[in-house]
Amino acid sequence: MSYSRRDFLRMSSFLALATALPTRSLFSKSRVLTPENFTEIRRNVGYFTGRGGTIGWMVNREGAVAVDSQFPDSASDCLRGLEQLIAGQVSGMDASPRTQPEQSAQITDLMVDVLFNTHHHGDHTGGNGTFRPQTERIVAHSNVPDLQRRQAQMRGGEDENTYADTTFDESWSVAIGDETINARHYGPAHTGGDSVIHFEQANVVHMGDLVFNGVYPFIDQGGGANITNWITLLETVAQNHEADTRYIFGHGNPARGITGSREDVLAKRDYLAALMDHVMISLQAGMSLEETRSITSLPGFEDFVSFGPRLSLAANLEAAWNELSAQ
Ligand SMILES: [Zn+2]
């Protein structure tokens, strides 16, 4: 790190007192600090809702992590909340200011140790530029920068993306205080560059858009999606984690929510499998794409909702059709 975490914590402690920020500690369950739109799941790991894909976060005595960055405006709100959480951690540890204000000026910039991007979509990376000045490292799967670039080219105009400075092919880990965070790529699924982020001690997993909870997912075939591997991935993730692991999802319908359990992960697997079965049977029966797409729900998944034309059953059926026809 390019600065002393301890110095930063002392500086934050001073700021917390000086600016009368809320100073309740996350460690004290009776006085849990919850900035607006922040919810703790367990062990200093939680989620933030603003606009776009759910942001995961961890703040402990040694550092802070965010998973996905939404858009510039909500990323600012998220950073402000993280600042409050950091101040709360510091006050829980040591409330006496030992750093002079003039000494702390040069170490106020870096606040987030790692920002992960679960994949390249704009509602998960659009706030990267807002995080950048206060973030030491942005980490994503190695396909993400190219997918971001391609998306920017397709839209035309200036490339306003802020890219990961650290990429990985299979997995990447970091230990911060008493938490270890692991990012893993299980092959193409929602896109060609998805990561699953595991907070190991808290036993919380951020799935990005690998689970749209109770929502017809966006299947980004132009961005390298693969439904067959997506089904395998969800099965593997469920097997790789414990029965009581809590999951954060990129999106969810209001009834099902944006967090859940292994059952929600497996329900998404079952949906994708049912989708592929329906299209396979249609193809074998010689039906047209139009006929195949004409159903209004899949049996067992009638409560799924659509968040727009690209996130609809018809779009999902067409994606399955394309994938199976190409095999
Ligand atoms: Zn997405």
Side-chain angles (χ1 to χ4, degrees), residues 3-221:
Y3 66 104
S4 156
R5 166 64 55 181
R6 183 161 294 170
D7 285 350
F8 173 63
L9 291 174
R10 284 179 185 157
M11 177 279 301
S12 297
S13 174
F14 173 80
L15 280 183
L17 293 171
T19 62
L21 280 168
T23 55
R24 289 162 291 175
S25 169
L26 277 175
F27 296 114
S28 167
K29 289 296 167 196
S30 59
R31 296 182 297 141
V32 170
L33 169 68
T34 48
E36 199 179 355
N37 299 326
F38 278 72
T39 305
E40 187 182 4
I41 296 174
R42 61 187 167 205
R43 220 175 175 279
N44 303 321
V45 174
Y47 63 93
F48 165 83
T49 53
R51 194 164 68 86
T54 314
I55 293 179
W57 54 261
M58 186 232 45
V59 174
N60 66 23
R61 298 175 192 216
E62 299 300 323
V65 166
V67 182
D68 288 341
S69 63
Q70 297 189 347
F71 296 104
D73 55 347
S74 54
S76 292
D77 294 341
C78 184
L79 280 165
R80 269 202 298 275
L82 288 173
E83 203 169 3
Q84 286 188 338
L85 290 171
I86 291 165
Q89 285 281 10
V90 173
S91 72
M93 178 175 67
D94 178 3
S96 61
R98 281 177 277 172
T99 306
Q100 297 302 311
E102 58 271 20
Q103 285 179 289
S104 62
Q106 74 266 23
I107 52 169
T108 55
D109 291 348
L110 283 172
M111 194 168 82
V112 175
D113 292 85
V114 182
L115 166 64
F116 291 94
N117 288 152
T118 59
H119 63 295
H120 72 285
H121 287 151
D123 62 324
H124 297 256
T125 58
N128 281 7
T130 308
F131 269 86
R132 180 75 277 182
Q134 290 185 275
T135 299
E136 188 177 7
R137 198 168 225 183
I138 302 179
V139 177
H141 179 259
S142 52
N143 289 340
V144 168
D146 278 348
L147 288 167
Q148 275 178 288
R149 261 179 226 108
R150 217 194 301 166
Q151 189 173 254
Q153 278 164 8
M154 274 159 51
R155 291 206 176 123
E158 289 270 298
D159 179 358
E160 291 174 346
N161 285 320
T162 298
Y163 296 97
D165 52 73
T166 304
T167 60
F168 66 92
D169 290 328
E170 285 175 18
S171 82
W172 189 91
S173 281
V174 65
I176 297 176
D178 61 0
E179 184 58 272
T180 302
I181 307 103
N182 175 259
R184 179 167 292 277
H185 175 67
Y186 289 86
H190 167 63
T191 71
D194 303 300
S195 296
V196 171
I197 315 297
H198 183 203
F199 295 91
E200 294 181 1
Q201 276 72 35
N203 194 12
V204 173
V205 173
H206 195 307
M207 295 296 289
D209 282 356
L210 293 165
V211 174
F212 284 72
N213 202 22
V215 179
Y216 295 115
F218 175 38
I219 302 170
D220 187 357
Q221 287 185 314

